[in-house]
Amino acid sequence: MAGMTRDELLEVIGEAARTGATELDLSGNELTELPPQIGQLTSLTSLDLSNNQLSELPPQIGQLTSLTSLYLSFNQLSELPPQIGQLTSLTSLYLSFNQLSELPPQIGQLTSLTSLDLRNNQLSELPSEIKQLRDLNTLALDKNKFSKLPLVLKWLPLEEIGLSGNPLPIPPELLGDETSWLDNENLKTIIDFYEDTSKATEDFFLQEAKFLIVGEGGAGKTSLAKKIQDPNYNLDPEEESTHGIQVIEWKFPLDNGQEFRVNLWDFGGQEIYHQTHQFFLTERSLYALVADTRKENTDFPYWLNSIELFGGDSPVLLIKNEKGNRPCNVNERQLKQDFQYIEEFIPTNLDDGRGLEAIKKAIRYYITKLEFVGTPLPQKWALVRYALENDSRNYIDQSDYFALCRGNGVGERTEMLRISDFLHKLGICLHFQKDRVLKNVVILRPEWATNAVYAVTTNPDVAKTKGQFTRDQLDDIWHDDQYANMGDELLQLMENFKLCYPIPGLKDNYISPQLLDFDPPDYDWEPSNNLMLRYEYEFMPKGIATQLIVRLYRWIEQQQIVWRSGVVLNNGRARAEVIENYRPYKGELSIRVSGVHRKELLSVVANEIDQINGSFEKIRVTKMIPCICEECQGNTQPHFFRMKTLDRYLEKGRYEITCDRSCIDVNVRRLTAVVLSDRFDELDKKAEQDKFEQLKAQHVEYYPARDKVFISYSHADGEWLTKLQKFLKTYEREGRLTTWDDRRIQAGDNWRQEIDTALATTKVAVLLVSQDFLASDFIYKNELPPLLEAVKKEGVTIIWVPIGHSMYTETDIANYQAACNPDKPLKGLNDAAQEEILVEVSKQIQAAFGG
């Protein structure tokens, strides 16, 4: 209850003392002080005082020696009493969002402490006594006033630390951001870097940055890049638009005599590239959006929102390319009002060079003001950077990189990897150290790798097959000498960028989801008893749905119910439909889930989407929960609540909320129980994420994508297929199994691909064995081999039914148990005996499928 009076507080404390309470929640009550009586609560193990207005703590707080968790976030504390050191049982202490400028030395007495949250305070140093916290594994120091790195940190056994948002002389790429944790190895990197830079001479500073040129195809981006590099470059009106990415180097002198290097990234404007471009639209860069005289050709909101989303607070120059000196009319006032990071609007005619010097002057000014520019580098780091710059190759083996490091005074492997990781985060090179394939190569020219990826996604043969391609096709696409022996690495790069996924069961076959059909295939959906969830985006980046498809590709229903903006997932116990509705600038993801385990599947899918959203630092998205009142339940268009609103209700202790449609009060806890809430403390995020990963892994393990009964038969035995299907129909109608045979193939379908897909999703294979079956070359060469292989590797069950006498003993089929006596095949039995056996066979099939 908000605004608790002193008398009410004393009553609550007295009651807790009388009952020997172990937990007490006083959060959000606008408390300005705590009475001395708080010291009577000696049985408390958890005390929540967050979201109040406390400016100090009474010394009696030290009497709560049983406390293991103390929540003091979101108050006005400027200091802690020395008695805090008496709380020796504390394992978790939350002090974020206060006004602490120092910690008392008694903090070192909290030797049981494992988690300490000090985010958003005024701390500039830590007491040396903090090194006594030998169990401390999580420490959050983000957004304080540290200008010097507290070297006492090296004595702590930290597994996770947050240091972002402090004015430290360390590149932000090393410090990370407030959404990510650094581990002990990261901390060692930061400490080593900090100590090394204190020894560096003033001759070694990072004087390099990225200048990214974006805009529609044909607007003049390439012309601008080349004119900046060479003012005498003659424009070619027939010059093709950039495909993919081109990187051009431009250098200019600084006032101190040093040279500044600008890496000009020229991005192709065609839409097919937009999803991949986002991986290189980096923060702490300078951007230029090029618009030309073609009427209404530039999609300003799309490009400027994209820059804001991926580039953070990076400055932007809006270049108005006035071709033929025709004016490029832009509503500058409105754009500046909507996008305040636009620094200048600069008109130019790239053909005659008008305005070019103004552009170069603006680039020189804004790029040298970027946050990390001028950061001191250890001398040997700079030497490695220069050595890589001078290497003319597109990529080098990791062993060659290590040799290069040793030649420049870096002898330890860990430091070599820290350097390549630093350069990777700056976009200077690519080294994916945690990937089992890509860790063995350092890509010196990122544009070389990305253009190889674009060569696949823009290949007409791949486009014709709606994004499906094979490993052999990649060998043809990447046949140039520059890609020799790099096919595995480039394919892995595509998978890392979520640009393709392997088709389960089809070796060396892949799908690029951004080339799938726009229209969904036909599929059935039962709308009753669905759980629903919706994500509404203020600005929706391209490719949210395709990233989700790649992440959960194993669950795509039949590996067929998928399209460019949606997918149906099936884990064997529940189905999820995810549809992306993209409207100009805004958009939404709609999810509905049916089935026995629908809550678990919804939680996993929602967590995957949350992870995708979390990769965009400035994304503005609202999670919406459907109402469960009597009027909304069963309604395909229920009222939706904002998840953040429901969280606020819970924070304030309010457990009922009114549905706007029915005006009925609904229990908030029941609403939020639909999905696991994302409202947990930063310090618990890792544990919560591990929980999701475990749940996801369990679903993959127990409910694989194989979800069909595949019936293999000779067309000469078609009548026996018909007879068996009559008995299986009972199970199919109840949804207890799904059968497939080649009669399902429709006119115009790619019959071979349909069979291959069905084989890849087979859980139980039924073989109707006769001599006609054994004589079929197609069955022998194309159906039996993948089925028998799947039996060995993936647990597929084979059930074979002797239709007639045959030479099965001369084949591998003899290794498997027949469904009935092979000496008495079905053809030799009367109708009643046939039906009796087909009933038993159907039961065996159902039992093998899953009960």
Side-chain angles (χ1 to χ4, degrees):
M1 45 191 158
M4 181 182 288
T5 66
R6 180 181 175 82
D7 288 343
E8 290 171 333
L9 178 58
L10 289 173
E11 184 178 344
V12 169
I13 292 174
E15 177 65 20
R18 283 191 297 274
T19 59
T22 58
E23 296 184 3
L24 182 59
D25 185 351
L26 293 171
S27 61
N29 284 292
E30 300 181 12
L31 301 176
T32 57
E33 62 177 347
L34 292 178
Q37 289 84 346
I38 195 75
Q40 299 172 7
L41 304 179
T42 53
S43 298
L44 283 185
T45 59
S46 176
L47 175 59
D48 191 346
L49 294 164
S50 57
N51 288 284
N52 281 294
Q53 299 173 21
L54 299 173
S55 58
E56 61 180 359
L57 297 177
Q60 290 81 2
I61 197 79
Q63 298 173 23
L64 308 185
T65 54
S66 297
L67 277 183
T68 58
S69 299
L70 178 56
Y71 301 86
L72 289 162
S73 298
F74 294 96
N75 277 285
Q76 299 172 19
L77 299 173
S78 57
E79 61 179 0
L80 297 177
Q83 290 81 3
I84 197 79
Q86 298 172 23
L87 305 181
T88 54
S89 297
L90 269 186
T91 58
S92 300
L93 177 56
Y94 299 87
L95 289 161
S96 61
F97 294 89
N98 277 285
Q99 300 170 22
L100 299 172
S101 57
E102 63 179 357
L103 298 177
Q106 289 81 3
I107 198 81
Q109 298 173 21
L110 305 181
T111 53
S112 298
L113 209 59
T114 60
S115 298
L116 178 56
D117 186 358
L118 292 163
R119 290 169 297 151
N120 292 77
N121 277 285
Q122 307 292 319
L123 298 171
S124 59
E125 60 182 358
L126 295 176
S128 60
E129 288 81 2
I130 204 167
K131 66 183 178 183
Q132 299 170 25
L133 305 183
R134 305 307 299 169
D135 290 331
L136 190 66
N137 55 49
T138 304
L139 176 61
L141 297 173
D142 306 83
K143 293 191 176 179
N144 275 280
K145 302 295 183 183
F146 292 100
S147 59
K148 295 180 180 180
L149 188 67
L151 295 180
V152 69
L153 295 176
K154 68 169 68 175
W155 301 102
L156 296 174
L158 295 172
E159 296 176 6
E160 294 182 323
I161 184 169
L163 283 168
S164 65
N166 285 288
L168 291 163
I170 297 172
E173 285 74 17
L174 288 183
L175 291 180
D177 57 50
E178 59 183 318
T179 64
S180 63
W181 287 101
L182 304 173
D183 58 25
N184 196 270
E185 187 173 330
N186 296 138
L187 179 58
K188 186 177 187 309
T189 299
I190 291 169
I191 292 173
D192 289 350
F193 182 95
Y194 181 79
E195 293 181 330
D196 282 346
T197 51
S198 64
K199 307 169 188 174
T201 68
E202 294 185 358
D203 295 329
F204 292 92
F205 292 86
L206 186 64
Q207 303 292 6
E208 180 174 4
K210 288 171 70 174
F211 177 50
L212 300 100
I213 308 175
V214 299
E216 309 290 348
K221 300 185 300 299
T222 302
S223 299
L224 174 62
K226 292 183 175 179
K227 276 285 193 179
I228 291 171
Q229 184 190 43
D230 178 12
N232 297 319
Y233 173 77
N234 292 319
L235 301 187
D236 180 1
E238 303 300 321
E239 184 174 40
E240 286 191 22
S241 295
T242 297
H243 292 281
I245 296 173
Q246 290 184 8
V247 179
I248 298 174
E249 180 185 310
W250 174 51
K251 295 181 178 180
F252 62 84
L254 296 169
D255 293 340
N256 61 8
Q258 288 185 301
E259 196 170 49
F260 194 98
R261 169 174 170 159
V262 180
N263 298 311
L264 295 94
W265 288 59
D266 172 20
F267 288 81
Q270 297 87 341
E271 184 170 353
I272 189 66
Y273 301 129
H274 292 180
Q275 183 179 335
T276 313
H277 284 348
Q278 66 194 37
F279 297 109
F280 303 97
L281 301 181
T282 50
E283 296 182 2
R284 292 175 286 279
S285 303
L286 177 62
Y287 285 80
L289 172 57
V290 180
D292 65 2
T293 54
R294 292 172 294 174
K295 186 177 181 181
E296 297 181 353
N297 187 68
T298 301
D299 190 346
F300 288 106
Y302 169 75
W303 287 110
L304 291 169
N305 274 302
S306 294
I307 293 171
E308 181 179 18
L309 184 60
F310 301 111
D313 297 322
S314 296
V316 176
L317 306 176
L318 202 151
I319 310 299
K320 301 189 295 183
N321 185 15
E322 299 180 336
K323 297 178 179 178
N325 285 321
R326 296 188 300 273
C328 180
N329 295 318
V330 175
N331 190 338
E332 297 183 8
R333 177 178 295 181
Q334 185 64 49
L335 285 177
K336 179 66 176 174
Q337 180 178 330
D338 293 341
F339 304 98
Q340 297 180 9
Y341 51 86
I342 299 176
E343 299 292 350
E344 293 187 29
F345 297 84
I346 308 176
T348 184
N349 183 335
L350 295 174
D351 192 25
D352 62 21
R354 174 175 57 82
L356 185 59
E357 279 306 313
I359 294 172
K360 293 169 71 173
K361 180 180 179 181
I363 295 171
R364 286 192 290 264
Y365 176 79
Y366 290 107
I367 207 163
T368 55
K369 300 295 184 185
L370 292 175
E371 183 179 350
F372 67 87
V373 167
T375 299
L377 285 174
Q379 182 175 1
K380 51 190 177 182
W381 286 42
L383 294 177
V384 171
R385 165 69 185 103
Y386 299 149
L388 292 175
E389 178 184 349
N390 293 327
D391 195 311
S392 61
R393 291 173 289 181
N394 291 315
Y395 63 90
I396 58 175
D397 292 337
Q398 183 174 253
S399 58
D400 291 340
Y401 168 70
F402 288 159
L404 181 148
C405 287
R406 285 190 290 271
N408 287 279
V410 182
E412 292 187 12
R413 178 187 175 95
T414 53
E415 186 171 12
M416 297 175 187
L417 294 175
R418 288 200 297 269
I419 295 173
S420 64
D421 183 60
F422 171 68
L423 298 176
H424 175 100
K425 289 174 179 175
L426 286 179
I428 292 171
C429 68
L430 298 178
H431 191 195
F432 299 92
Q433 297 181 12
K434 295 183 180 179
D435 187 278
R436 59 182 179 81
V437 175
L438 294 175
K439 69 180 181 180
N440 298 312
V441 62
V442 178
I443 298 172
L444 304 182
R445 308 283 180 268
E447 70 275 18
W448 166 84
T450 55
N451 288 334
V453 170
Y454 290 135
V456 178
T457 57
T458 58
N459 182 274
D461 292 332
V462 176
K464 193 179 300 182
T465 57
K466 306 300 183 185
Q468 183 169 349
F469 60 88
T470 66
R471 191 65 178 79
D472 290 340
Q473 281 179 284
L474 291 182
D475 291 338
D476 291 336
I477 295 171
W478 294 330
H479 68 276
D480 288 351
D481 290 341
Q482 62 174 321
Y483 300 125
N485 303 317
M486 283 294 288
D488 290 339
E489 289 80 3
L490 292 171
L491 178 58
Q492 188 67 35
L493 191 69
M494 291 186 67
E495 293 190 48
N496 277 13
F497 285 170
K498 302 295 185 288
L499 295 175
C500 73
Y501 63 86
I503 302 176
L506 289 182
K507 185 179 180 182
D508 293 334
N509 276 257
Y510 300 84
I511 291 285
S512 179
Q514 64 192 105
L515 297 175
L516 288 167
D517 261 330
F518 281 104
D519 297 323
D522 292 332
Y523 63 91
D524 295 325
W525 188 270
E526 174 53 56
S528 61
N529 296 318
N530 284 191
L531 293 182
M532 289 187 282
L533 187 63
R534 198 165 70 204
Y535 289 82
E536 295 182 353
Y537 296 80
E538 190 170 324
F539 169 73
M540 190 174 200
K542 298 288 179 69
I544 297 284
T546 53
Q547 282 198 53
L548 181 68
I549 289 167
V550 175
R551 282 170 171 261
L552 297 176
Y553 71 88
R554 292 183 182 277
W555 295 354
I556 297 173
E557 189 162 281
Q558 303 173 26
Q559 290 301 315
Q560 291 180 326
I561 307 182
V562 58
W563 62 103
R564 197 172 304 190
S565 58
V567 64
V568 173
L569 305 167
N570 190 324
N571 67 6
R573 294 294 184 273
R575 300 173 79 208
E577 176 196 69
V578 185
I579 297 178
E580 177 184 87
N581 297 303
Y582 188 87
R583 302 183 298 279
Y585 327 130
K586 297 180 182 292
E588 70 176 33
L589 278 181
S590 298
I591 309 162
R592 53 180 180 170
V593 187
S594 66
V596 178
H597 288 190
R598 55 188 180 274
K599 181 179 178 181
E600 288 86 345
L601 181 56
L602 178 60
S603 293
V604 172
V605 172
N607 182 62
E608 293 294 318
I609 296 171
D610 289 340
Q611 287 191 56
I612 294 171
N613 291 337
S615 66
F616 307 112
E617 183 178 350
K618 289 205 167 187
I619 199 165
R620 293 185 289 273
V621 58
T622 302
K623 187 184 291 188
M624 307 292 290
I625 306 292
C627 181
I628 55 174
C629 73
E630 295 175 2
E631 187 172 320
C632 290
Q633 277 190 332
N635 193 321
T636 57
Q637 298 293 327
H639 172 66
F640 277 81
F641 297 99
R642 291 171 176 259
M643 186 70 176
K644 289 183 179 179
T645 301
L646 301 178
D647 281 341
R648 281 201 303 273
Y649 267 65
L650 291 177
E651 286 175 2
K652 301 297 185 182
R654 297 182 60 186
Y655 303 113
E656 299 288 332
I657 192 169
T658 304
C659 170
D660 286 354
R661 171 171 295 176
S662 65
C663 298
I664 297 173
D665 287 341
V666 185
N667 186 279
V668 177
R669 284 174 170 163
R670 285 187 61 206
L671 283 168
T672 56
V674 172
V675 292
L676 299 179
S677 174
D678 58 359
R679 190 184 67 82
F680 46 83
D681 193 274
E682 293 283 338
L683 294 173
D684 296 326
K685 276 190 175 181
K686 186 176 184 298
E688 191 76 12
Q689 185 58 41
D690 289 345
K691 198 183 302 178
F692 276 114
E693 291 301 324
Q694 184 180 14
L695 183 60
K696 180 179 171 184
Q698 287 172 347
H699 277 257
V700 171
E701 181 179 355
Y702 297 124
Y703 312 135
R706 293 185 173 274
D707 57 0
K708 290 188 186 65
V709 175
F710 182 98
I711 305 177
S712 180
Y713 70 106
S714 165
H715 286 182
D717 299 323
E719 63 176 300
W720 294 100
L721 170 66
T722 302
K723 290 180 179 180
L724 176 61
Q725 285 178 327
K726 288 180 181 178
F727 289 90
L728 293 176
K729 187 67 176 178
T730 300
Y731 294 129
E732 283 201 271
R733 187 182 296 116
E734 296 176 355
R736 296 170 66 183
L737 56 73
T738 302
T739 64
W740 192 94
D741 60 80
D742 63 6
R743 292 178 181 178
R744 301 290 180 97
I745 301 174
Q746 303 295 316
D749 287 348
N750 183 330
W751 63 271
R752 180 59 187 273
Q753 183 176 327
E754 292 287 322
I755 291 175
D756 287 345
T757 300
L759 287 167
T761 55
T762 294
K763 186 174 183 180
V764 178
V766 179
L767 314 181
L768 304 185
V769 178
S770 67
Q771 195 56 38
D772 287 317
F773 177 91
L774 297 179
S776 169
D777 288 335
F778 183 85
I779 293 174
Y780 177 76
K781 293 179 181 179
N782 298 289
E783 291 188 4
L784 281 180
L787 288 176
L788 297 178
E789 183 72 11
V791 170
K792 297 176 184 177
K793 293 186 176 180
E794 300 189 45
V796 168
T797 300
I798 283 186
I799 296 175
W800 71 277
V801 184
I803 301 299
H805 290 289
S806 68
M807 299 178 66
Y808 76 90
T809 56
E810 305 300 316
T811 71
D812 289 336
I813 294 174
N815 297 325
Y816 301 93
Q817 184 69 39
C820 57
N821 188 348
D823 295 332
K824 296 181 180 180
L826 290 178
K827 286 182 179 179
L829 303 177
N830 60 38
D831 290 346
Q834 288 177 4
E835 290 180 351
E836 183 179 352
I837 288 176
L838 288 174
V839 168
E840 183 59 31
V841 168
S842 299
K843 290 180 178 179
Q844 289 183 36
I845 293 171
Q846 170 57 19
F849 191 80

